[in-house]
Structure formats: C-alpha cells, structure tokens
Amino acid sequence: HSGERTGHSGARFTDVVSIGIGGSFLGPKLAVEALRPYWQGSINCHFVANIDGTDITETLACLNPDTTLFLVQSKSFRTQETLENSLLARQWFLDNGGNAASVSQHFMAVTANVEEAARFGIEPANTFPMWDWVGGRYSLWSAIGLPIALTLGMAAFRELLTGAHAMDSHFREAPERENLPVIMAMLSVWYNNFWGAESHAVLPYDEYLKYLPEHLQQLDMESNGKRVTQNGISVDYPTGPVLWGGVGANGQHAYHQLIHQGTRLIPADFIIPLRSHNPVASHHAALFANCLSQARAMMAGKTEAEAEQELLAGGLDGDAARQLAPHKAIPGNRPCNILLMERLTPHTLGALIALYEHRTFVQSVIWDIDCFDQWGVELGKQIGNEILPKLLGESEDGSAGDSATDNLIRLFRDRSGT
C-alpha cells in the first residue's frame, strides 16, 4: 500500500490474484467480499480456483502484468488445480513483458511446503509458511488470510482475528445453556436426527455476505459428511445434513416456497445486521421486514380456516374460497434462527465464522465422527490423477476399470484429437 514493494518495472501493485481452491479460496474470498466497505482502495483482489480455463482467462484479461502480484495458496503445494493455474499465470507473466529473473517479484506463496514452492521459482523470502496441521476449511485465520490482509490492511485483519477470538473465548467459557455454538449444534442434531431434516438453509440478508453459504458448505459438509465413527465403526444414524442457501430477499422469489409449503422439514438460519453500510432510502427497513416476515411465516404459518376467511373477506364466494384455501394454507412450525449483529464489521464477521466453526465441531463430537479429515475428497483426487494421463494419451493402459468411464474417455479423446 505504501509503494515500497513494487513490480519489476518499478510500478506499484494495483491487483492481487489469489490462486487456491477449497479452504485456500472460499474463506478468504468470503472475508474480502464481505468486508468491501473496509478495503484500503489501492489494491484490488481477484480469486482464481476453478481448473476450468475460463476462470483464470477471464481474470487475467483485465490485468496489467506490471502491476499484478500473484499469491499461490496451497498447503501442500501439490494441489492440481492450484498448480495448473499458477503455471498458466507464470507463463502469462513471461509472455507479457516479464522474465525469469523478475518472477520472484510478482509471485508469492502461502504453503507448508516451502521446498516445493522454491522449486516452482518462488523465493523462500517470498513464502509465508503455515503449519501443516491447519485444515484448509479452518485456515483463513492463518497466512492463508493474506489476501484479506492485503486488501483490508493489517488493522482490519487483526480485528477479524479479534472477533474470532471473542467467539473462541465464549465457546470455551460460557455455560452450555448460554453457549451459542453449543445451542446451534444441539438444535441441528435435534432436527437432523430426531425430525428427519436432511438439509439446512443459511440465508444472509446482507449482500456483502453472499459468499457465506459457499464457505459454510465446505466447512460443514466436508467436516461432517462421514459414515463411520472415530473408531471406524459404521454409524446407524444420520450425520451431516446438506447445507445450502443464498442471499437475502432474492431467495424469497425462488426456493423459499419449498421451505414454507414443501414436504421436507428445512431448518433455516436468517442472518442480518441491524445497520447497513449503505442506508439508501428505506431499503434496509424493507430488507429487515422481509427477514422478519419470512421467519414469522416459517414459525406461524397460516391455517386452512384462516386462508378461507381471508379469501371470503377478499370477495371470493364460498365454494371458490373452500377450493382455494388448501393451496394457501402454510403449516408453520418450521424451525429457524435469527442471528443479529449491530453491523457487519471485521470483528462481527470473525465472530460469525468462528460461531459456525465451533458449531460444526460440537456436532461432530455428538456424532462421534472426525470433522478434521476428508478422505472422500482425497479419493476423487486420486482417481482424477489416474484418469488424466488416459485423457491426454500418455498412458498405454486406456482403461479406467469400468465401461462407463472408459466410453467417456474414448469420446473425449476422439473429440480433442489426443
């Protein structure tokens, strides 16, 4: 921000591209976008995660290599998507005025594998180490949070950590009956295991929190999507539910219908600040009214008799009102939480994310599962590494071991000419 650190041409950096995936992407992106009112202004942050070439191509198209800094975010420095995108970014830099000697001025790494980063061409002095025991989905508080610090400045990043620490202390010290993560975890287990709720909706009524559901999906489902106990015994009860959601009033015109009148029980978390960063006209009052009305509709619903009386009062005749009333009846008694904060700040965001982290952990303790591994994810990576050489024609054995996959490999090779 001060201009002490510049690119190879002497120009100040204006853009940072964070290249990572999973926990090295979702948490930092959530925090950067959620705290946009606190951006310092001189640095714009971009995120690249997808191995789909469109992601990095569209990102690089609007950037100047002389003023762009790349952060390679990978704990192992072996994640395929991150490495492929980093190699492409390096080649783009070399093809657009950079040279091998100046790569070190434009590339930094956050990793537990400093040696592998050095082999890529990133100097140890430009590598921010992280502990190898930090799980990806819990890592935004570590050096993986560097994009947050670069965009917001260190004061705001420390305030994010302070908010998380406040929730850590609350979780550690508060009695169970007053302990927010414990209460939320117990409610989740209650509806998941005793009422058959198979999913849970997260509904932030704040545009800045639009990426919160994506981050919490990984946090919750990658942590608690398990089928054996910590001792390796198959469970005979449901574990992690499907977590999904979206921002604010938009969902009311899409999937809230299923929540209110569908046949599935879907608990929901409504999240809203009391004060907006953008208090235009009466927008925030209308947004708050929408949030409260949706929660009340879930709780109270509308009986068939109430619906019929409403239709009669509106001038419909008796037979028509009786026929339409069942369609307008809403059962209610659908569980939801309303989470309030004074305002979305680095401190309150830190506390909010930590709240869900501890909630996830408490659920795992009750279910006796390990919320810190992800072997299902590892299997997909393993199979992907076996299939890729077959797609590229680099493997003499073209079979993946099943006819469906083999046919798709042949189709891909026929179309791509490999």
Side-chain angles (χ1 to χ4, degrees):
H1 290 284
S2 68
E4 290 181 37
R5 178 66 183 254
T6 67
H8 70 103
S9 68
R12 293 173 64 145
F13 288 115
T14 59
D15 295 271
V16 170
V17 179
S18 175
I19 304 176
I21 201 166
S24 299
F25 158 67
L26 291 166
K29 182 178 182 180
L30 160 64
V32 166
E33 292 297 331
L35 299 174
R36 186 175 283 267
Y38 298 89
W39 283 22
Q40 295 293 293
S42 59
I43 298 288
N44 292 311
C45 193
H46 314 267
F47 292 89
V48 170
N50 199 342
I51 192 64
D52 185 334
T54 300
D55 191 7
I56 190 165
T57 299
E58 292 291 346
T59 300
L60 296 178
C62 63
L63 298 178
N64 178 353
D66 288 351
T67 60
T68 300
L69 176 68
F70 292 93
L71 303 179
V72 184
Q73 306 245 84
S74 173
K75 184 171 72 172
S76 66
F77 218 87
R78 294 194 179 97
T79 305
Q80 182 194 41
E81 296 91 340
T82 301
L83 286 182
E84 291 293 335
N85 280 325
S86 299
L87 289 169
L88 196 149
R90 185 174 65 180
Q91 192 60 51
W92 172 83
F93 174 72
L94 294 174
D95 291 344
N96 289 277
N99 55 64
S102 58
V103 165
S104 62
Q105 290 177 263
H106 288 260
F107 280 79
M108 293 184 172
V110 177
T111 184
N113 193 343
V114 178
E115 296 78 12
E116 197 66 34
R119 276 191 281 274
F120 179 89
I122 299 175
E123 295 180 357
N126 290 342
T127 300
F128 292 75
M130 61 183 294
W131 297 292
D132 61 3
W133 51 262
V134 176
R137 54 197 175 275
Y138 305 95
S139 66
L140 72 91
W141 321 108
S142 73
I144 288 292
L146 185 57
I148 309 170
L150 283 169
T151 310
L152 306 179
M154 281 305 299
F157 182 67
R158 291 192 179 101
E159 191 62 22
L160 180 79
L161 300 183
T162 301
H165 179 67
M167 184 57 68
D168 294 343
S169 299
H170 167 79
F171 174 55
R172 185 182 297 113
E173 299 165 5
E176 289 177 357
R177 288 178 178 271
E178 302 171 11
N179 195 301
L180 283 176
V182 171
I183 292 169
M184 289 182 66
M186 296 301 286
L187 286 170
S188 180
V189 171
W190 173 244
Y191 290 113
N192 184 66
N193 291 82
F194 296 92
W195 286 91
E198 297 179 345
S199 74
H200 188 106
V202 176
L203 309 172
Y205 275 67
D206 189 302
E207 184 69 18
Y208 288 124
L209 288 174
K210 60 187 173 184
Y211 294 112
L212 179 65
E214 289 184 26
H215 174 63
L216 297 184
Q217 280 177 341
Q218 188 204 23
L219 172 64
D220 197 286
M221 293 197 286
E222 193 167 279
S223 294
N224 289 338
K226 309 293 168 55
R227 59 187 305 114
V228 298
T229 68
Q230 299 218 42
N231 293 322
I233 301 169
S234 295
V235 301
D236 57 0
Y237 46 84
T239 56
V242 174
L243 193 146
W244 59 279
V247 65
N250 298 4
Q252 295 170 198
H253 299 268
Y255 45 77
H256 281 219
Q257 170 64 35
L258 179 68
I259 295 175
H260 291 306
Q261 285 191 306
T263 57
R264 292 173 172 82
L265 180 69
I266 304 174
D269 292 345
F270 293 89
I271 305 167
I272 188 167
L274 293 166
R275 292 192 297 139
S276 171
H277 283 285
N278 301 288
V280 295
S282 59
H283 277 51
H284 195 62
L287 183 70
F288 208 88
N290 274 272
C291 180
L292 296 185
S293 66
Q294 291 297 302
R296 175 170 169 73
M298 287 185 69
M299 176 183 70
K302 181 187 292 184
T303 67
E304 190 171 327
E306 289 172 335
E308 185 174 341
Q309 286 300 313
E310 186 180 89
L311 291 166
L312 290 170
L316 213 60
D317 65 60
D319 287 341
R322 280 189 292 275
Q323 286 184 342
L324 186 56
H327 299 278
K328 296 196 70 173
I330 298 172
N333 198 27
R334 303 290 174 98
C336 65
N337 301 313
I338 300 179
L339 282 74
L340 299 176
M341 64 191 81
E342 183 66 29
R343 200 176 194 190
L344 182 58
T345 66
H347 189 280
T348 55
L349 180 66
L352 180 66
I353 296 172
L355 166 65
Y356 277 97
E357 288 187 352
H358 294 309
R359 166 188 173 273
T360 300
F361 168 70
V362 172
Q363 290 176 135
S364 77
V365 172
I366 296 169
W367 289 322
D368 190 26
I369 57 178
D370 187 349
C371 66
F372 299 112
D373 66 30
Q374 56 280 330
W375 298 114
V377 176
E378 299 302 322
L379 176 60
K381 293 179 182 177
Q382 176 187 333
I383 295 174
N385 289 334
E386 294 169 358
I387 289 176
L388 181 59
K390 305 179 193 305
L391 293 173
L392 297 176
E394 298 172 353
S395 172
E396 294 183 5
D397 178 13
S399 174
D402 69 272
S403 59
T405 307
D406 288 346
N407 284 333
L408 293 170
I409 290 173
R410 282 194 291 271
L411 178 63
F412 177 88
R413 293 190 60 181
D414 288 345
R415 294 294 191 272
S416 60
T418 56

